[in-house]
Each structure stands twice: as C-alpha cells, then as structure tokens.
Amino acid sequence: MLTAAARSAVIATFALLAAAGVAFAGTPTVGQSAPAFKLQDQDGKWHSLADYKGKWVAIYFYPKDDTPGCTTQACSFRDNVFAFDKEGAVILGVSVDDVASHKKFAEKHGLPFTLLADADKTVAKSYGVLKNYGVMEVARRDTFIIDPQGRIAKHYESVDPEGHSKVVLEDIKALKAKSSG
C-alpha cells in the first residue's frame, strides 16, 4: 500500500509525463512519435514507418475492404492522389483485412496507393483504433498525419468518409507551411 505522499508523487509524475505528450496506452497524441510498424501491402511487399522518414504521411485506418463507407473513403483518397503527390505526401490505408482482400479491393477500385494488411491487429492496437464489436474487431475510421520526423502532427477521430481526403490534404498544406515558416 502506498502512503498518501507516495500516491501523490506517482500521480504528479504521470500528470507531468502526460503533459509532455507521453502516452501510456491507447491513442498516440499530437507531438508524440508515431508507433512503428512493419506490414505487407496489397502486393505482399513489406512497408515500415521508417521507409517514410522525411515525408508527410496520411495513414488512415478503416474498418473493412469493399464496404460502402470504406469504398467512399478510399476512392476519395484515390481521386486526390495527384494533389497528395504534389505536396510530397504519402497515403497509407490500413485495415485488419489480409493481403488478398486488399489486393482485390485495390484492383476493383483502381486504388493507386498502399493498403497495409494488419491481420493480427497489432498496428490498430498501437494506434489506439481497434474497436471490438463483440463478434469481431476492426479498425475504427481514424486518420493520422505523420510529419517528416515521424511524429503525429494531427489526429482525426471517427471521421466521415465523404470528403475526408480533402480535409487531410488541406491540413497537410497548412502544417507544411507552418513548419517551414
């Protein structure tokens, strides 16, 4: 059992660490290093966060390949891919579906960006977006902008798939301007 003074010291320490942007569990916070990952894309090629050092990254988590909302969101990113390229930004889609499912989804909708298969759900957990529906677990529809140093620059929780890519693109432009100015 901790004394009252020891308990107060522990609480104060956790409060200081939290104020400094250190997360203990759950979703990473703005300013914190983005959780590392190593996942396969729709073609079976491995990708890690370190591969994107020096670039702006829009990593969007979504529940399930080829469902209405997820298709709307993916196609919105697809339709804006050249604008993301112009900004030097990379789009990464992540769900708990497997490589074969991603391949089929990407081919069906002409998705020209990377879809990462998080079948064991470790990355969704590390980003704090794994949602349990009782009979299944899927990634919540969240997006993170990661800066060129690998830190979380912005987090969007439970986003609306319609038009979301345009919001992310505008925020990347604003964040780039802010960081270069």
Side-chain angles (χ1 to χ4, degrees), residues 44-69:
K45 181 182 171 204
W46 289 95
H47 295 257
S48 70
L49 182 59
D51 296 339
Y52 301 100
K53 195 85 166 173
K55 294 185 177 272
W56 288 90
V57 176
I59 183 168
Y60 80 94
F61 290 86
Y62 63 98
K64 188 102 180 94
D65 287 339
D66 217 19
T67 56

Side-chain angles (χ1 to χ4, degrees), residues 56-60 77 84 90-93 143-146 168 172:
W56 288 90
V57 176
I59 183 168
Y60 80 94
F77 275 107
F84 277 87
V90 176
I91 302 165
L92 301 174
T143 300
F144 296 85
I145 295 175
I146 301 172
V168 173
I172 287 173

